[in-house]
Amino acid sequence: MNNIYSKRREKRVKNWAMAGTSALKLIIKREGNLVPYDRDRIATAIFRAMVSVRKRDRNLADAISLDVERALAENKGESSCPSVEEIQDIVEKILLERGESETARAYMVYRSERAQARSRRENSFEVTDNIPYKKIYEVLRWNINHGCDSVQGLNRIISSDRFGALVKDSDRRYEEEIARCAREITGRGSKARVIIVAGPSSSGKTTTTMKLGEKLKQSGLEFKSLVMDNYFFDLEKHPKDEFGDHDYESPQALDLDLINEHLGALLEGRTIRTPVYNFKTGKRTLNAGSMKLEKHQLLLLDSLHGLYADMTKGIPSRLIFRIYIETLGQLRTEDGVFMRWADNRLMRRMIRDKLHRNSQPAATIAHWHYVRRSELQNIIPFIATADFLVNSALPYELPVLKHKVFRYFPEAVAKYREDAFHQDAYIRAKRVAELLDPLQEIADESIVPDDSLLREFIGGSRYEC
């Protein structure tokens, strides 16, 4: 099996890397970690600077990155480990020496903006604590204890026929977390009337909401669910991004005024006429159904922007119990680099969009840039307002997801490498492809139970997702 993955890696390097072999093996990141040297990252950064000054010559960016590498070897030695800052200094120097002054200035501006953004994140962390470090540590410890904290560990579990046990253990952990959340809600008595399950795209809000409803029902609580996706405006009225794509991720794509009107009416015991939204046609039908909330019932809803202030601006905060859900997976590559949570969710959404939203996986990769932008602007800043945090990452899902989506990532790498307008898609696709490449895949998804959260995305769920 190892030989198969070695051949795949060799083929990938041949296809993706530029001509020439580097003696540089490692670089030092700003936080002090050693990571593999990748000339293509330098070329991509140069290319993005070029694009900003209306130059779109990827071959030139590749050639300049090779000059940068040679200069690093001459200045630092072929066996050295240059820092990110040292590499960036050399890039600026080579650009100026080559007469690419406009690109050099654009690169300097980009570098400065990234430094300022890092500084803002560091400062905001002290104030808002948006990163749930305690929870992340708990997830990492669980993964280590179950041997699934790395790609190599997952491969060993698959090879030793322990994958079924990992599925059961992972689902049990998730179910126990939902049960704890339900106990938190019941412990508040009649104080909370609105239960919100919020979180970024493809974090598993729908299944979590339904499972939470089951737990609340077992505790003797009655509830009704309000589907927030039905409050999307018609697609033609959605905000658009800079490429003209309709943006489902913005809170302004939702009819916030109607949401507040209906929430207020329900809490007052009045009947509302609910809309229905069709994702395949992009059309909303008003007054399609009716709903009334009795005094003894809870209102249960899931929403991408459930923590967004304007979503519930007319509802007293004391009446709301807020749950935030995220794929807080802790999986390392052989090089020690952790998978990004958003990449996990991207793979889920690629499948879901194809099944339910009439969108192809390649389009999901290309459009993910505004998903992330909206998350960073309209979701992540409100994590601290949540009353409970749920981890929806399932360590066993990645081998299943790989079987379904892996082929799209090398295709995206080839398609977007020289596309000036989709460099984000190129970088993302390359990163995910390299993560998934050495991971063994699971083609037989029958091992996934029909009540698994993963079924929300791959199909076959016993819940109506």
Side-chain angles (χ1 to χ4, degrees):
M1 187 64 71
N2 288 337
N3 288 335
I4 294 175
Y5 290 113
S6 295
K7 290 179 180 178
R8 286 182 181 175
R9 184 176 293 275
E10 289 173 3
K11 184 178 180 180
R12 189 193 74 227
V13 170
K14 181 180 179 181
N15 290 338
W16 297 348
M18 294 167 289
T21 301
S22 173
L24 298 171
K25 302 300 180 185
L26 299 169
I27 67 170
I28 305 171
K29 297 197 72 175
R30 290 179 179 84
E31 65 273 19
N33 295 336
L34 290 175
V35 298
Y37 167 75
D38 184 355
R39 188 197 306 146
D40 187 63
R41 291 177 67 89
I42 300 174
T44 299
I46 294 171
F47 183 51
R48 295 179 77 169
M50 286 180 170
V51 169
S52 69
V53 295
R54 297 180 176 82
K55 290 186 178 181
R56 299 169 188 171
D57 190 342
R58 179 72 196 211
N59 290 332
L60 177 58
D62 292 345
I64 294 174
S65 70
L66 189 57
D67 286 348
V68 170
E69 183 178 289
R70 290 168 179 154
L72 285 168
E74 291 174 2
N75 295 344
K76 303 288 295 182
E78 292 187 346
S79 60
S80 66
C81 295
S83 69
V84 170
E85 294 291 344
E86 289 172 329
I87 293 173
Q88 291 180 334
D89 289 342
I90 294 292
V91 170
E92 292 179 6
K93 179 175 180 291
I94 296 297
L95 284 171
L96 291 171
E97 288 178 351
R98 271 180 162 262
E100 298 290 339
S101 56
E102 280 189 300
T103 301
R105 283 194 295 271
Y107 184 87
M108 293 174 190
V109 170
Y110 173 75
R111 182 181 178 184
S112 174
E113 289 175 346
R114 291 294 296 270
Q116 292 174 23
R118 284 193 299 273
S119 177
R120 287 194 297 270
R121 287 196 299 269
E122 290 168 0
N123 292 334
S124 65
F125 161 69
E126 296 178 3
V127 176
T128 63
D129 195 18
N130 286 340
I131 303 175
Y133 285 112
K134 181 180 178 181
K135 187 74 173 183
I136 292 170
Y137 172 71
E138 292 174 358
V139 175
L140 178 59
R141 185 174 61 183
W142 192 96
N143 284 11
I144 291 173
N145 290 341
H146 289 78
C148 58
D149 58 302
S150 67
V151 170
Q152 292 69 35
L154 272 177
N155 284 342
R156 285 192 292 269
I157 289 172
I158 295 171
S159 299
S160 60
D161 295 326
R162 290 184 287 121
F163 191 73
L166 179 63
V167 171
K168 292 179 180 178
D169 289 343
S170 300
D171 284 346
R172 186 183 303 115
R173 179 211 61 78
Y174 168 68
E175 293 278 356
E176 290 172 351
E177 203 158 281
I178 301 301
R180 287 199 303 274
C181 182
R183 289 194 293 271
E184 286 278 338
I185 294 171
T186 56
R188 294 198 174 193
S190 61
K191 294 180 180 179
R193 293 292 312 283
V194 180
I195 313 301
I196 297 177
V197 179
S201 177
S202 301
S203 53
K205 296 181 291 297
T206 302
T207 300
T208 299
T209 302
M210 292 182 175
K211 285 183 176 290
L212 179 62
E214 290 178 344
K215 301 296 183 185
L216 294 175
K217 188 174 182 180
Q218 292 169 7
S219 299
L221 295 177
E222 291 187 29
F223 64 92
K224 286 189 175 179
S225 298
L226 185 63
V227 180
M228 304 308 291
D229 281 357
N230 286 330
Y231 287 84
F232 277 118
F233 286 114
D234 286 352
L235 186 61
E236 61 194 32
K237 297 181 181 179
H238 283 205
K240 291 185 178 181
D241 67 7
E242 62 270 30
F243 304 129
D245 296 325
H246 289 99
D247 187 356
Y248 277 107
E249 314 307 321
S250 168
Q252 281 68 45
L254 290 163
D255 193 340
L256 298 176
D257 289 338
L258 185 60
I259 289 172
N260 276 275
E261 177 186 330
H262 282 185
L263 290 178
L266 288 169
L267 292 176
E268 292 174 1
R270 293 186 281 125
T271 299
I272 64 170
R273 298 289 294 171
T274 56
V276 170
Y277 188 83
N278 187 318
F279 278 98
K280 291 189 176 182
T281 64
K283 296 291 185 180
R284 176 179 63 163
T285 302
L286 294 172
N287 303 321
S290 64
M291 181 177 175
K292 182 179 180 181
L293 189 71
E294 302 298 337
K295 290 185 178 180
H296 66 282
Q297 293 177 324
L298 299 175
L299 182 61
L300 192 59
L301 55 92
D302 73 271
S303 174
L304 187 72
H305 298 294
L307 302 184
Y308 187 66
D310 285 349
M311 175 74 74
T312 54
K313 61 185 177 182
I315 310 302
S317 182
R318 68 179 184 278
L319 299 179
I320 305 173
F321 187 93
R322 297 174 174 86
I323 302 161
Y324 185 79
I325 182 168
E326 171 63 285
T327 50
L328 301 172
Q330 296 296 292
L331 180 75
R332 291 173 287 192
T333 65
E334 186 177 3
D335 302 322
V337 177
F338 281 91
M339 178 188 67
R340 300 192 184 194
W341 305 333
D343 290 345
N344 190 166
R345 292 188 282 103
L346 167 62
M347 289 182 268
R348 289 177 172 181
R349 177 151 167 175
M350 289 166 66
I351 301 169
R352 187 198 68 183
D353 282 358
K354 184 177 181 181
L355 289 175
H356 303 294
R357 296 193 173 182
N358 198 29
S359 179
Q360 293 303 308
T364 303
I365 296 174
H367 298 169
W368 193 249
H369 67 98
Y370 63 75
V371 176
R372 289 294 294 145
R373 181 174 58 194
S374 182
E375 289 172 0
L376 293 171
Q377 292 176 350
N378 304 310
I379 300 177
I380 304 300
F382 303 107
I383 293 177
T385 67
D387 299 293
F388 196 91
L389 181 63
V390 174
N391 168 34
S392 69
L394 303 169
Y396 68 82
E397 70 180 287
L398 295 178
V400 178
L401 294 176
K402 176 179 179 178
H403 177 70
K404 291 180 171 295
V405 302
F406 178 67
R407 65 184 182 277
Y408 299 108
F409 290 101
E411 291 173 3
V413 169
K415 180 177 181 180
Y416 297 123
R417 185 174 181 272
E418 298 184 26
D419 187 335
F421 298 105
H422 289 92
Q423 283 298 287
D424 284 345
Y426 165 69
I427 293 170
R428 188 174 298 109
K430 183 171 181 285
R431 181 176 65 237
V432 176
E434 290 177 341
L435 169 77
L436 293 178
D437 189 31
L439 179 65
Q440 295 186 43
E441 63 183 50
I442 296 292
D444 182 8
E445 64 187 50
S446 64
I447 198 170
V448 181
D450 64 359
D451 65 345
S452 167
L453 179 144
L454 182 57
R455 287 289 179 184
E456 178 178 332
F457 305 99
I458 66 174
S461 175
R462 71 176 176 86
Y463 300 106
E464 294 181 0
C465 296

